[in-house]
Amino acid sequence: MNHAFWKGRRVFVTGHTGFKGSWLALLLQVLGADVHGLALPASTSPALFTDADVANGMHSRFGDIRSLDTLQRALLDAQPEIVLHLAAQAIVSESFDRPLDTLHTNIIGTANLLESVRGVAGVKAVVIVTSDKCYENNEATQAYREDQPLGGNDPYSASKACTELVTASWRYSFFDRTEHPIIATARAGNVIGGGDWSRDRLIPDMIRAFVRGAPALLRNPDAVRPWQHVLEPLCGYLQVAERCASSPDFGQAWNFGPDHTDTKPVREIADMLAGYWGDGARWEQQCHNPVKEARTLKLDSSKAQTLLPWRPVTDIAEGLRLTAQWYKGYAARRNVRDMTEQQIRELLARNQA
């Protein structure tokens, strides 16, 4: 990643109050970017956005991406060169509880964002973040490539596949001239890291149990996922944006997942996290799993590794160590912004090595 590219660069981020969005906003601040954000207020308590005072150092405003007028006004005020779209309903289990809200936010919200970009001169690149769950999952053992079919057997996955299709349609219908911004999509694997307090996610659910001294309950210990530290795909998103700002060749879909050795079953991730946490941390299998989820999901990131080039610099063991370290620091009342920015600087140093 070219750190100098981001110095003083006007960047617009949707969803900057969420887990990944907060890390991204801080990453951009560390890089010296002029960061503007639009999002709903943080949906969890505690929240990384609040505890790390993410708004201090950027132009933060609250608003709903389901409102076209809200997005248009925010983008016109920000006048960005780079747009990074992370705002979404991001919890699989919640998509079963609120399927229509999930579809509206993830599909129409993205269409609103793309339509709003059309009215802002000076935008060079847009990166739409979707998910590794956008693929038609046939429970195969091979890793999914960007050219394989999209699909969705649950509302969340379907919303992400539709987001890809909506983005492609706007790219080919409205952003087809040299003076138009280049539009890319990014499909990341399962991310971990400090400051995630969402419900029904492996790491925050385990941390909450460990803090109580109770065993963590796992819904599906044998489910296989592509695990990676949150900063890995975020650096990938920025690399795609850099390339899109200078060449239309990068306006396409990109996978960001770990090396194949870090695509592991939930039980192995749980064992490693419990080991790093210590204090007798343990887990048990939940008796009943109410959520229908794919058993196996793997990503092939060879295109990003070859063409950007991007590759993860932190393996899953180190990512889990950093995650446990962050939550232990939080429990010890360390300064949340300081310890988050410290991990960002450590990864940026490795990225440049």
Side-chain angles (χ1 to χ4, degrees):
M1 186 167 58
N2 178 10
H3 295 186
F5 174 90
W6 297 98
K7 184 71 173 179
R9 188 79 57 175
R10 293 177 73 86
V11 184
F12 184 85
V13 179
T14 69
H16 68 287
T17 61
F19 166 55
K20 287 175 73 175
S22 293
W23 275 95
L24 179 59
L26 287 175
L27 171 59
L28 288 165
Q29 290 176 43
V30 169
L31 290 168
D34 180 9
V35 188
H36 299 250
L38 174 73
L40 295 174
S43 61
T44 64
S45 181
L48 179 60
F49 175 75
T50 304
D51 292 335
D53 195 16
V54 175
N56 182 16
M58 66 175 293
H59 307 275
S60 173
R61 64 198 294 173
F62 294 143
D64 195 328
I65 62 170
R66 292 176 294 183
S67 167
L68 178 61
D69 180 66
T70 296
L71 265 169
Q72 289 174 329
R73 285 187 284 107
L75 276 163
L76 285 170
D77 289 347
Q79 292 293 308
E81 294 179 77
I82 307 294
V83 175
L84 300 162
H85 178 50
L86 279 73
Q89 194 299 96
I91 306 298
V92 174
S93 61
E94 191 167 333
S95 76
F96 286 94
D97 297 333
R98 300 191 299 118
L100 295 182
D101 284 348
T102 299
L103 298 179
H104 197 181
T105 297
N106 295 355
I107 302 171
I108 301 302
T110 300
N112 284 341
L113 184 279
L114 292 167
E115 187 65 9
S116 298
V117 167
R118 294 180 63 197
V120 182
V123 177
K124 293 183 171 62
V126 180
V127 177
I128 306 293
V129 176
T130 64
S131 171
D132 57 357
K133 296 177 180 61
C134 69
Y135 292 103
E136 182 180 325
N137 194 319
N138 55 12
E139 300 288 0
T141 58
Q142 85 273 10
Y144 293 106
R145 303 185 312 273
E146 291 88 344
D147 60 355
Q148 291 186 279
L150 303 175
N153 293 328
D154 58 83
Y156 174 80
S157 301
S159 76
K160 291 303 183 178
C162 288
T163 296
E164 291 281 348
L165 294 172
V166 165
T167 301
S169 71
W170 254 256
R171 180 192 292 124
Y172 292 115
S173 298
F174 306 117
F175 297 105
D176 58 344
R177 297 182 182 177
T178 55
E179 68 270 21
H180 290 164
I182 305 305
I183 315 296
T185 60
R187 306 162 180 178
N190 286 46
V191 295
I192 64 170
D196 187 359
W197 299 106
S198 302
R199 67 179 181 90
D200 293 337
R201 276 191 182 152
L202 177 64
I203 302 303
D205 285 351
M206 291 188 70
I207 294 297
R208 280 187 283 264
F210 293 167
V211 169
R212 298 194 311 269
L217 299 179
L218 306 189
R219 293 195 306 270
N220 190 353
D222 296 317
V224 175
R225 296 290 184 268
W227 306 95
Q228 58 190 331
H229 190 271
V230 62
L231 286 170
E232 299 290 1
L234 295 184
C235 287
Y237 304 163
L238 297 189
Q239 283 185 250
V240 169
E242 287 178 27
R243 303 302 189 272
C244 286
S246 60
S247 171
D249 294 340
F250 294 90
Q252 51 187 293
W254 301 89
N255 282 346
F256 294 102
D259 290 334
H260 71 277
T261 54
D262 285 336
T263 300
K264 297 180 180 294
V266 168
R267 64 172 65 249
E268 290 190 32
I269 301 302
D271 286 342
M272 282 192 281
L273 183 63
Y276 284 122
W277 189 265
D279 299 327
R282 65 198 190 283
W283 62 268
E284 297 174 356
Q285 183 166 0
Q286 187 173 317
C287 294
H288 173 62
N289 179 14
V291 179
K292 298 178 181 178
E293 297 179 274
R295 290 181 59 83
T296 302
L297 182 54
K298 300 178 181 179
L299 277 185
D300 182 336
S301 303
S302 57
K303 186 172 83 168
Q305 293 177 6
T306 302
L307 299 180
L308 292 177
W310 167 92
R311 72 179 312 112
V313 297
T314 302
D315 64 19
I316 189 57
E318 177 66 4
L320 285 164
R321 185 192 68 80
L322 291 170
T323 300
Q325 180 188 74
W326 192 99
Y327 283 107
K328 281 184 170 288
Y330 184 90
R333 300 185 181 276
R334 284 187 56 197
N335 184 285
V336 172
R337 186 178 181 110
D338 286 350
M339 64 182 185
T340 307
E341 289 186 345
Q342 180 181 345
Q343 291 194 355
I344 290 172
R345 291 191 172 91
E346 288 176 4
L347 182 117
L348 289 176
R350 296 179 192 177
N351 187 278
Q352 290 293 89

